[in-house]
Amino acid sequence: MHAKGQLEAEFAAIAEHWSPRVIATANGQYVKLAKVRGEFVWHSHADEDEFFLVQKGTFVLRFRDGSEVVLRAGEFFVVPRGVEHLPVAPEETWLLFVEPAATRHTGDVVTDRTRSVESQTAHLSGRADQG
Ligand code: NI
């Protein structure tokens, strides 16, 4: 009931880049952490806004109109629903982000980078951590 979480410990449990780890659920939303590096894939989420907070590193969000947002530690941004974005991390970057439980990792795009909700929440149900 009153179990508290610890960000550093949660990040320490992440071994793979671009593989989100759900650390909490609230109001139908997942609070997730990820370690990222390099370029992800262009995608959008038709019905969900995406909140990102950078804990460490540099996170760049590129948009189809040629603009980009560069976020550094302590900075946050919301990608509005329906807006196509390409996440890029020029160095290893640690992210906290919030999205509805139903949000698919890579939007409507499925690639080898796509991680199922089951793999993102496996540790919550006491099963082996899949990273
Ligand atoms: Ni996204």
Side-chain angles (χ1 to χ4, degrees), residues 43 45 50 52 85 87 99 105:
H43 67 279
H45 311 275
E50 253 185 327
F52 291 99
H85 51 288
E99 56 191 18
H105 186 208

Side-chain angles (χ1 to χ4, degrees), residues 43-108:
H43 67 279
S44 61
H45 311 275
D47 300 315
E48 300 111 12
D49 306 318
E50 253 185 327
F51 170 91
F52 291 99
L53 166 69
V54 175
Q55 175 78 3
K56 180 173 133 178
T58 304
F59 189 54
V60 181
L61 288 160
R62 295 200 178 126
F63 302 101
R64 287 296 193 188
D65 66 0
S67 65
E68 64 178 31
V69 173
V70 179
L71 303 171
R72 297 192 173 82
E75 297 182 324
F76 57 89
F77 186 79
V78 177
V79 177
R81 63 195 63 192
V83 174
E84 207 176 1
H85 51 288
L86 174 66
V88 179
E91 58 188 312
E92 179 169 287
T93 296
W94 295 10
L95 299 175
L96 180 151
F97 55 109
V98 178
E99 56 191 18
T103 300
R104 283 181 288 174
H105 186 208
T106 50
D108 292 332

